[in-house]
Amino acid sequence: MAAAARPVSPAASLMSGGGPVARIQVSVNGQMYTAEVEPRTLLVYFLREVLGLTGTHVGCDTTNCGACTVHLDGKPVKSCTVLAVQANGRQVRTVEGLEVGGKLSAVQQSFYEEHGLQCGFCTPGMMMTATALLERNPNPSEAEIRDAIRGNLCRCTGYVNIVKAIKAAGKKMQAPPAGGSA
Amino acid sequence: MSADATPHVKGGLGQSILRKEDARFIRGKGNYVDDVKLPGMLYLDITRSPYAHAKITAIRTDKALKVPGVLAVITGKDLEAAGLAWMPTLMSDKQMVLPVDTVMYQAQEVAAVVADSRYAAADGAAAVEVDYEPLPVVVDPFKALEPNAPVIRTDRAEKSNHIWHWETGDKSGTDAALGGSAVTVSQDLYIPRIHVSSMETCGCIAHMDSVSGRFTIWMTTQAPHAIRTVFALVTGLPEQNIRVISPDIGGGFGGKVPVYPGYVIASVASIKTGHPVKWIEDRSENLQADSFARDYHIHAEVGATADGTVTALRVKTLADHGYTDAAANPSKFPAGLFHIITGSYPFAKAFVEVDAAYTNKPPGGIAYRCSFRVTEAVYTIERMMDILAHKLNVDPAELRLKNFIPPEAFPYKSALGWTYDSGNYAGALRKAMEIIDYAGLRREQAEKRARGELMGIGISSFTEIVGAGPSQTFDILGIKMFDSAEVRIHPTGKVIARFGTKSQGQGHETTYAQILAEELGIPADDIRVEEGDTDTAPYGLGTYASRSTPTAGAAASMAARKIREKAQKIAAHLLEVSPDDVEWKDYAFHVKGVPGKSKTMQEVAFAAYTNHPKGVEAGLEAVDYYDPPNMTYPFGSYICVVDIDKETGQVKVRRFVAVDDCGTIINPMIVDGQIHGGLTMGFAPALLEEIQYDADGNIHGGTFMDYLVPTAVETPNWETAKTVTPSPHHPIGAKGVGESATVGAPPAIVNAIVDALRPYGIEHIDIPVHPWKVWQVLHGGEKPG
Amino acid sequence: MFPPQFEYYAPNSVDDAVALLSRFNGEAKVLAGGHSLIPLMKLRLAAPSVLVDINRIPGLAYLREEGNHLKIGATTRTGELLESALLRKSYPILTDAAQEIADPLVRNLGTVGGNVCHGDPGNDLPACMIALGAEMSLHGPNGHRTVPAAQFYKDTFVTAVEPTEMLVEVRIPKPVARQGSAYHKIEKRVGDFAMAGAGVSLVLTEAGAVSHASIGLTGLGPTAIHAAKASASLVGQPADEAHLQQAAMLAQAEAQPSTDLRGPAEYKRAMAGVLTHRVLVRAVARAKGGA
C-alpha cells in the first residue's frame, strides 16, 4: 500500500560533503520516499539518518553481525552492505513495518513472550530474519531455525529463547487468526 | 519470598513476568546513543596508528581540513595545551587521550576529525597524514620484564615495564604445606586476551551548551555517576552542570565501564565547536582499541593428602595489561577478586601473587563478564581439581564431593580472606549429575573408549563472588561501592523508582519492580523504574560484576521498608488504632487480631497526600544508599559432554547441564536468560575467541571476520536447573547471577576435552581449543598449550 | 565503515556494462551482490572510482539446463543454488557448497558470478567449478570468450577476467550416468572461511571403476587448486577404499597451505587429505544412486 511519493526534507541531501548525488525512490514499509543520496550512502544509514527509522542497527563493519537486517523485495539482507541507490525502485521492510494497525506481528509477540531479547540491539535484525523464514516455512525444525539465523549474532541471550520465540511465532502463524495484541 | 499459601502480589518475587522494557525493543523503538539526534550535531572520527610503538614525527592536517564537510582536526598538541593529553585511569595510572609524541599500541587514537556528517568525518580521518618512526615493540609480558626490555612508559619515574606486584595469603605456610603434601600437581595455564564485543559498540554525544554552561553527554556507560564525577575532576567543570545520560545500552558486560579517549575527544570537540558532537566507533575500532579481558599467564600448584583431601594452593600469575593499567577494578584489588581462587574447597593454606606488565597493546583486563578476574580464578582451580583427580586416579566428581566446603561451615572464611555467605556445593553437583545421568555417561565413555572413540565429561563446581562491595574494602577512585534506590509512591498508588545502577539488557525495569512489588504490595505493572540519568537518579556505582541485585536490589528493599514504616503510621491513622496495633501481612496493613480491618498500600498512599496524620510529613517516599555488609557468593555445578572427531580434531559439545544457585530468584525467566547468555560467553573463549598479536604488535582478530563470536549453529542448547540457597545477609536473600555462567563454563568444557583425550596422556590444553590443537595431540605433534 | 566516494552506473545491458568498463579502463569495478566488494570498500582496502552495477541487467540471473550444459547466469544469487531441486539431484556438489557459503542473508544477495570471480582462495565455488569442469563465459570489448575453470584462477584475487571484461555465465557439462559429486569444508565457526575444503565430481563405469574424476581444493593455497595428480590416480581404478585413500594422500601433497588464523599449514595439509577422502566417499555413494 504505497502513499503518494513523499519528498524527504532537504536535510536528506546533506548526507555528506557535497559529492555527486543520485535521486532515488524507495518504498519503505509501504510508504514511498524520494531522496537524493550519494551513491556511497549505505542503505542502513539511509534508513536511519535520512528516514529517521532507527530501529535497524549497525553492529559491525564486515558484514558479519546481521543487526542491520531488513527485507529487500521480501528477502532478508544485510542493509549495511547494500547501497541505498541499489534500493531504488524497490521495496524495503524494516522492523518498524512489522506492527500493522497497532497489532504486533506473531514474531514480535513471541519474542516478548519467550524472553527472546535482553539488550534489544540484535533484536530488530533477528526478527526480520525470523519473519522471512516463517513466511516461507512456518514450521521449521530447531536446526533449520538455528541455520536461518546464523547470520544474526547475539551476545546476550545465548540463542535458546530466540529459537523458542521463532518456533512459537511459527505456531501462531499456522493457527487460524485470532484477536488480541500485546 | 512469599510462601505458597499466602496471596501473591501481581509481579512479585519468583514470578516469570514478561519484561516491561520489551515494548520498545520489539518495535525498534529503543533509544540507543546512535539513535539520538540533536540539532546542529557534528560527527567525530578518529585517525589511528598502524604501529604498535612509534614516535610521531609529524602530523599534517591540511589535506583533512580541505575535505568537504570537515570543520576541525584535533591532535595531542591541542589537548596538551588544555592539560588533557593524558587522563587518569580507574587504577590511578595514566592513559593518553591523544598522544603528543609517542603511540603505544596499534589502533591507538592519533588525531580526531570533526565534520558535518559521518562520511565526511571518515574522509577527513583518512586524509590526516602522520609520519612515524617505529620503536621496538614489546608484546610478550615475560620479555617485557627482562632487564634489557625497551621501556614503554617513559613518562613514569620508574623506568621499567613492571607495573605492580600484589600478593595475599600465607606464603611460608603454603610453601611448607605444599612441601609436606603427599601429592602435588602443578600446571601452567594461559588464558588469552578476548574481547567482549557487545552488539552495540561504544559511543557518545557530547554537548557543551555555552549559554547555560551545562555539559550533557549521552554515553554508552555502565556507570553514569562515576563518569560524571570523573569528568568533573578531570575537566574542572562544576559537577552540578554535568549531566550523563546512559540511555538504552546494547550490551555492556564490562566493556562500557572504562572512559575511552573518544568520549573525551568528543567532549573537547563540543567545547571547541559549540555544537553537539557524536562519536560512534566502528566494530574494528571497538575490537582493536577498547578494553580487552583476561591475558593471564598462570602457574598453579595444588597439594593434597594421599587420600585426596586438598591441603594447599599456590598460584603465581603474570598479567599482561597493555600499555597502561586501565582495568576497572576496585582500587584495593589490582588483580580484582582473583583470590577467590580457593574456590569451593577448604584449602587450609593458600598464597597468590600477581605481577603486572606493560606491553604495546591496548589497556584493559576485565571487560568480559568476569566479575573482576573471577573467570581466571575459577578456570584455574577447576582445571587443577581435574588434574589432581587424574593424578590420584579418582573420579573428578568424587574428588569434589569429598572436598567441598560443607553447608554447615558457612559463613566460611577462606584462607585468602573472603567470608562466603552461604553454599550447598554438593547439592548443586549431585543435582547436575542426576540430570545428566553422570553414571550412565561414564559407562558410555568406557564403551566408546574401548572402540577408540573420543568422548569426554567435564565438571566445573564454581564459587562466584559478586556484589561489590562493602565500604571497608571496596572503592573505585575512592568512591565507595554502595548503591541506591529512590522510591516514591504517587497519590493514586503508583510508583516511580530510580536507581544508581544501569541495565544493559539485564531487565532491571522488570526485576526491580518485582522487588518493590513484593515489598510494597503494589503490582509490578504500577511501578516505573528508571536508571541512567545522573540528573535524576540517586548516586550509584553502576552495573557490572553482577553487583546490581546485591546492592541496588537490596537498596530497593530497604527503601521500600522505610516507606512501609511510615506507611504503617498512616495506616494506623486511617484504621484509627495505634501504629503498634498494625501489622503488615499479606501485602496489606492489618489491625492485629481483627480480621477484616485493613488498608492497602494504595489507600495509604492516597492518604499520604490527602489525610496525613499530625507529626508525620505528607508524601510517601524513601531513598536508601545500601552499603552491603559482605559480598554474595553464588555458586553452581556444570557438567559438559563433548565428542571429538578424531580425523579433524573438531570438538562438539553434545550436552551441557548447568545447575546454578543465586539464592532467591526474582524472575526465573530472566535468570535463565542470563545463564544462557553467560554460558555462551564461556563457550566462546573455550573454543573460538582470541585476540593475538604478532611480534610487531599487529593485531590478529581485529574484525568480526577474524574474531569469531558464536552463532546459533554452534551454540549448544543449554540445559539449566537451580538450587536455592539464600544469602543470609541480603534483604531478600538474593545473590547476583549475570556472570556466573561465564565464570563456570570454560573449565567444564576444557575438563571435558582433556578427559576425552585421556588416552593420549595430556593434562591440559590451552584455550581456545582450536581443532588443530586437538589434532596435534591426536597425531603426536607439538604439545599444544 | 564508510566507503570513499565513487561514481555509480546501473546499465541495462551487458554491452553497456562492458562499454563502461572500457571507458573507465581499470578504474571501474563490477558491482554484483556486493558482499565481497562493498566490505572491502567500507574498510577502505579497495577504492574504485567507478562502480558498474550489473543487477539491473535483465536476463543475467538464471539456472537451467540447455543442450549439453547447466547454465548459470552471473547474477544468480548463491541462495538460489540451495533452492534448486535440479542441483540437488544432478549437481549436488553445488548444493553442498551453497549450504556452506557465509550465511543465508549474504546468500540472498551474493552472486554465483561474484563467488566465482572474486578470487579469494577461501571462496567455495571455485573448487566446485574446477571439479565440475566448468567453463566461464566472459564478455568484453573484443566480444566473447570462454575460459575453463582449471585455467581461471591465477593468484589470490587474480582471475582470468580482464578489467574491461565481465563474467556473464558459468557453463557446466550435464552429468552422465553414474556421475556423483560432493563438496565439504571445515571451518572454525559456521560462515567463516575454510580451514580446508574439497570438492569432487566423478563418474563410475558399470563395473564400479572410475572413468573420470576431478578434485578441487578450497583454502589450501593462493587460489583454488585442481588436485590433478590425485584426480588422475583414480581414473581406470576401482572406486575402493584403498584407491580413495591413495587419492586423498595425493591431494594432501598437492595442497599448498599456509599457516594463518585458520590453522597451521601442517594441519590444513592433513585436512586436505581427510576432506578429499570424505567427499570421494560421498561422491561414489551418489554415483551409485545413493545420497
Side-chain angles (χ1 to χ4, degrees), chain C residues 53-81:
Chain C
D53 181 349
I54 62 171
N55 291 284
R56 307 276 174 176
I57 299 174
L60 209 51
Y62 50 86
L63 186 64
R64 58 175 177 255
E65 283 180 326
E66 214 174 70
N68 289 328
H69 290 94
L70 170 72
K71 296 181 175 179
I72 308 179
T75 55
T76 306
R77 311 291 158 181
T78 49
E80 291 172 62
L81 300 179

Coordinates of all heavy atoms in Angstrom, one line a residue, chain C residues 53-81:
Chain C
D53 N 27.0 -1.3 -11.6 CA 26.1 -2.2 -11.0 C 25.4 -3.0 -12.1 O 24.7 -2.4 -12.9 CB 25.0 -1.3 -10.2 CG 24.0 -2.1 -9.5 OD1 23.9 -3.4 -9.7 OD2 23.2 -1.6 -8.7
I54 N 25.6 -4.3 -12.1 CA 25.0 -5.1 -13.1 C 23.7 -5.8 -12.7 O 23.2 -6.6 -13.4 CB 26.0 -6.2 -13.6 CG1 26.4 -7.2 -12.4 CG2 27.3 -5.6 -14.2 CD1 27.2 -8.4 -12.9
N55 N 23.2 -5.4 -11.5 CA 22.0 -6.0 -11.1 C 20.7 -5.6 -11.8 O 19.7 -6.3 -11.7 CB 21.8 -5.7 -9.6 CG 22.8 -6.4 -8.7 OD1 22.7 -7.6 -8.5 ND2 23.8 -5.7 -8.3
R56 N 20.8 -4.5 -12.6 CA 19.7 -4.1 -13.4 C 19.6 -4.7 -14.8 O 18.8 -4.3 -15.6 CB 19.6 -2.6 -13.5 CG 19.8 -1.9 -12.1 CD 18.4 -1.7 -11.4 NE 18.6 -1.2 -10.1 CZ 17.7 -0.8 -9.3 NH1 16.4 -1.0 -9.6 NH2 17.9 -0.3 -8.1
I57 N 20.6 -5.5 -15.1 CA 20.7 -6.1 -16.4 C 19.7 -7.3 -16.5 O 19.9 -8.3 -15.7 CB 22.1 -6.6 -16.8 CG1 23.1 -5.4 -16.8 CG2 22.1 -7.2 -18.2 CD1 24.5 -5.7 -17.0
P58 N 18.7 -7.2 -17.3 CA 17.7 -8.3 -17.3 C 18.3 -9.6 -17.9 O 19.2 -9.5 -18.8 CB 16.5 -7.8 -18.1 CG 17.1 -6.7 -18.9 CD 18.3 -6.2 -18.2
G59 N 17.8 -10.7 -17.5 CA 18.3 -11.9 -18.2 C 19.7 -12.4 -17.8 O 20.3 -13.1 -18.6
L60 N 20.2 -11.9 -16.7 CA 21.5 -12.3 -16.3 C 21.5 -13.3 -15.1 O 22.5 -13.8 -14.7 CB 22.4 -11.1 -16.0 CG 23.9 -11.1 -16.2 CD1 24.2 -11.6 -17.6 CD2 24.4 -9.7 -15.9
A61 N 20.3 -13.6 -14.6 CA 20.1 -14.5 -13.5 C 19.3 -15.6 -13.9 O 18.1 -15.5 -14.2 CB 19.5 -13.8 -12.3
Y62 N 19.9 -16.8 -14.0 CA 19.1 -18.0 -14.4 C 19.9 -19.2 -14.1 O 21.1 -19.2 -13.8 CB 18.8 -18.0 -16.0 CG 20.0 -17.7 -16.8 CD1 20.9 -18.8 -17.2 CD2 20.4 -16.4 -17.2 CE1 22.0 -18.6 -17.9 CE2 21.5 -16.2 -18.0 CZ 22.3 -17.2 -18.3 OH 23.5 -17.0 -19.1
L63 N 19.1 -20.3 -14.0 CA 19.7 -21.6 -13.6 C 18.9 -22.6 -14.5 O 17.8 -22.9 -14.1 CB 19.5 -21.8 -12.1 CG 20.1 -23.0 -11.4 CD1 21.6 -22.9 -11.4 CD2 19.6 -23.0 -10.0
R64 N 19.5 -23.1 -15.5 CA 18.7 -24.0 -16.4 C 19.6 -24.9 -17.2 O 20.8 -24.6 -17.5 CB 17.9 -23.2 -17.4 CG 18.6 -22.3 -18.3 CD 17.8 -21.5 -19.3 NE 18.6 -20.6 -20.1 CZ 18.6 -19.3 -19.9 NH1 17.8 -18.7 -19.0 NH2 19.4 -18.5 -20.6
E65 N 19.1 -26.0 -17.5 CA 19.8 -26.9 -18.4 C 19.4 -26.6 -19.9 O 18.2 -26.4 -20.1 CB 19.5 -28.4 -18.1 CG 20.3 -28.9 -16.9 CD 20.0 -30.3 -16.5 OE1 18.8 -30.8 -16.8 OE2 20.9 -31.0 -16.0
E66 N 20.4 -26.6 -20.7 CA 20.2 -26.2 -22.1 C 21.2 -27.0 -22.9 O 22.4 -26.9 -22.7 CB 20.4 -24.7 -22.3 CG 19.5 -24.0 -23.3 CD 19.7 -22.5 -23.3 OE1 20.8 -22.1 -23.7 OE2 18.8 -21.8 -22.7
G67 N 20.7 -27.8 -23.9 CA 21.7 -28.6 -24.6 C 22.4 -29.5 -23.7 O 21.8 -30.2 -22.9
N68 N 23.7 -29.5 -23.8 CA 24.6 -30.4 -23.0 C 25.1 -29.8 -21.7 O 26.0 -30.3 -21.1 CB 25.8 -30.8 -23.8 CG 25.3 -31.8 -24.9 OD1 24.4 -32.6 -24.7 ND2 26.0 -31.8 -26.1
H69 N 24.5 -28.6 -21.4 CA 25.1 -27.9 -20.2 C 24.0 -27.4 -19.2 O 22.9 -27.2 -19.5 CB 25.8 -26.6 -20.7 CG 27.1 -27.0 -21.4 ND1 27.1 -27.0 -22.8 CD2 28.3 -27.2 -21.0 CE1 28.4 -27.4 -23.1 NE2 29.1 -27.5 -22.1
L70 N 24.5 -27.3 -18.0 CA 23.8 -26.5 -17.0 C 24.4 -25.1 -17.1 O 25.6 -24.9 -17.1 CB 24.1 -27.0 -15.6 CG 23.6 -26.1 -14.4 CD1 22.1 -26.1 -14.3 CD2 24.3 -26.5 -13.1
K71 N 23.5 -24.1 -17.3 CA 23.9 -22.8 -17.5 C 23.5 -21.9 -16.3 O 22.3 -21.9 -15.9 CB 23.4 -22.2 -18.8 CG 23.9 -22.9 -20.0 CD 23.4 -22.3 -21.3 CE 24.0 -23.0 -22.5 NZ 23.5 -22.5 -23.7
I72 N 24.4 -21.2 -15.7 CA 24.1 -20.4 -14.5 C 24.5 -19.0 -14.9 O 25.7 -18.7 -15.2 CB 24.9 -20.8 -13.3 CG1 24.7 -22.3 -13.0 CG2 24.4 -20.0 -12.1 CD1 25.5 -22.8 -11.8
G73 N 23.5 -18.1 -14.9 CA 23.8 -16.7 -15.2 C 24.6 -16.0 -14.0 O 24.4 -16.4 -12.9
A74 N 25.4 -15.0 -14.4 CA 26.3 -14.4 -13.4 C 25.6 -13.8 -12.2 O 26.2 -13.9 -11.1 CB 27.2 -13.4 -14.1
T75 N 24.5 -13.3 -12.3 CA 23.9 -12.6 -11.2 C 22.9 -13.5 -10.5 O 22.1 -13.1 -9.6 CB 23.2 -11.3 -11.5 OG1 22.2 -11.5 -12.6 CG2 24.2 -10.3 -12.0
T76 N 22.9 -14.8 -10.7 CA 22.1 -15.8 -9.9 C 22.6 -15.7 -8.5 O 23.9 -15.8 -8.3 CB 22.3 -17.2 -10.5 OG1 22.0 -17.2 -11.9 CG2 21.5 -18.2 -9.7
R77 N 21.7 -15.6 -7.5 CA 22.2 -15.5 -6.1 C 22.6 -16.8 -5.7 O 22.0 -17.9 -6.0 CB 21.0 -14.9 -5.3 CG 20.4 -13.7 -5.8 CD 21.2 -12.5 -5.8 NE 20.8 -11.4 -6.7 CZ 21.4 -10.3 -6.9 NH1 22.5 -9.9 -6.2 NH2 20.9 -9.5 -7.8
T78 N 23.6 -16.9 -4.8 CA 24.1 -18.2 -4.3 C 23.0 -18.9 -3.5 O 22.9 -20.1 -3.5 CB 25.4 -18.0 -3.5 OG1 25.2 -17.0 -2.5 CG2 26.5 -17.7 -4.3
G79 N 22.1 -18.1 -2.9 CA 21.0 -18.7 -2.2 C 20.0 -19.5 -3.1 O 19.4 -20.5 -2.7
E80 N 20.0 -19.1 -4.4 CA 19.1 -19.8 -5.3 C 19.6 -21.2 -5.6 O 18.9 -22.1 -5.9 CB 19.0 -19.0 -6.6 CG 18.2 -17.7 -6.5 CD 18.2 -16.9 -7.7 OE1 17.7 -17.3 -8.8 OE2 18.7 -15.7 -7.7
L81 N 20.9 -21.4 -5.5 CA 21.5 -22.7 -5.7 C 20.9 -23.7 -4.7 O 20.7 -24.8 -5.0 CB 23.0 -22.7 -5.6 CG 23.8 -21.7 -6.5 CD1 25.3 -21.8 -6.2 CD2 23.6 -22.1 -8.0

